Amino acid sequence: MAVDKKPPEEGSVLVTSVEAAIAWARKFSLFQYPFVTACCAMEFMSAMGPMYDMARFGAEAPRWSPRQADLIWVVGTVTNRQAPILRRIYNQMAEPKWVMAFGTCASTGGFYDNYATLQGIDKIIPVDVYIPGCPPRPEQVLDALMLLQDRIQAEGSSRMRALKEMA
């Protein structure tokens, strides 16, 4: 039985290993930018405290400039007046970048179904992970962070290729 086997591209094993290592490093070094607007801030601070130890996920120290961050946490209600500000902050972040919608208000507008409230931040920026709840429990936040880390690890090479094609 003949097997049509192509020889491996030169350096493909090394490149794959480097991409996997980069994805692993990214997953454990998330530089977060908190965009905190409302009551979910209390639960966000609780999740960031020592009891839940965000440092073990590599997401402990917030960055106060979007240019230094690769993960934006949108925490709480976003009004229509704040939407352009959030979009500008998102655009200032370098690639690759990720977004987490923290709480029901950031995800869907929550019970603020009126003309002044944005009915979900995914109307203006892409969202990678939604954290449901009003407010979400810290355990849900940790679950969402681990889900994001798994996605970062899995998409490592495909996202890198997409960024190279964009350049």
Side-chain angles (χ1 to χ4, degrees):
M1 179 162 115
V3 177
D4 184 24
K5 196 172 189 183
K6 289 175 36 179
E9 294 178 30
E10 191 165 322
S12 64
V13 174
L14 179 62
V15 170
T16 303
S17 298
V18 169
E19 286 179 357
I22 289 172
W24 178 86
R26 273 203 181 109
K27 140 183 178 175
F28 285 112
S29 61
L30 293 170
F31 298 126
Q32 59 179 319
Y33 181 88
F35 189 84
V36 182
T37 61
C39 47
C40 278
M42 297 304 144
E43 207 63 34
F44 177 74
M45 288 185 273
S46 173
M48 293 299 157
M51 183 172 182
Y52 295 98
D53 190 21
M54 277 294 183
R56 65 189 157 141
F57 300 104
E60 63 190 299
R63 303 295 184 247
W64 302 112
S65 169
R67 290 183 174 93
Q68 298 172 350
D70 52 14
L71 169 62
I72 184 169
W73 296 75
V74 181
V75 180
T77 310
V78 177
T79 64
N80 287 323
R81 287 187 72 184
Q82 293 169 324
I85 298 165
L86 177 60
R87 179 72 178 164
R88 185 174 42 218
I89 289 171
Y90 176 79
N91 288 337
Q92 290 175 352
M93 294 171 64
E95 289 287 348
K97 54 189 169 186
W98 298 277
V99 177
M100 292 182 83
F102 189 106
T104 303
C105 291
S107 300
T108 64
F111 58 87
Y112 297 109
D113 188 12
N114 59 41
Y115 68 93
T117 305
L118 186 65
Q119 298 302 305
I121 63 167
D122 55 1
K123 305 264 190 277
I124 57 166
I125 60 175
V127 176
D128 294 291
V129 178
Y130 297 91
I131 307 173
C134 182
R137 301 274 312 142
E139 295 83 8
Q140 289 175 280
V141 176
L142 297 179
D143 285 344
L145 187 58
M146 288 186 286
L147 175 65
L148 180 64
Q149 286 180 320
D150 291 344
R151 287 185 183 177
I152 292 169
Q153 180 77 46
E155 75 180 11
S157 59
S158 61
R159 192 167 195 146
M160 295 283 287
R161 284 191 200 100
L163 291 174
K164 288 177 189 174
E165 290 173 7
M166 287 175 47

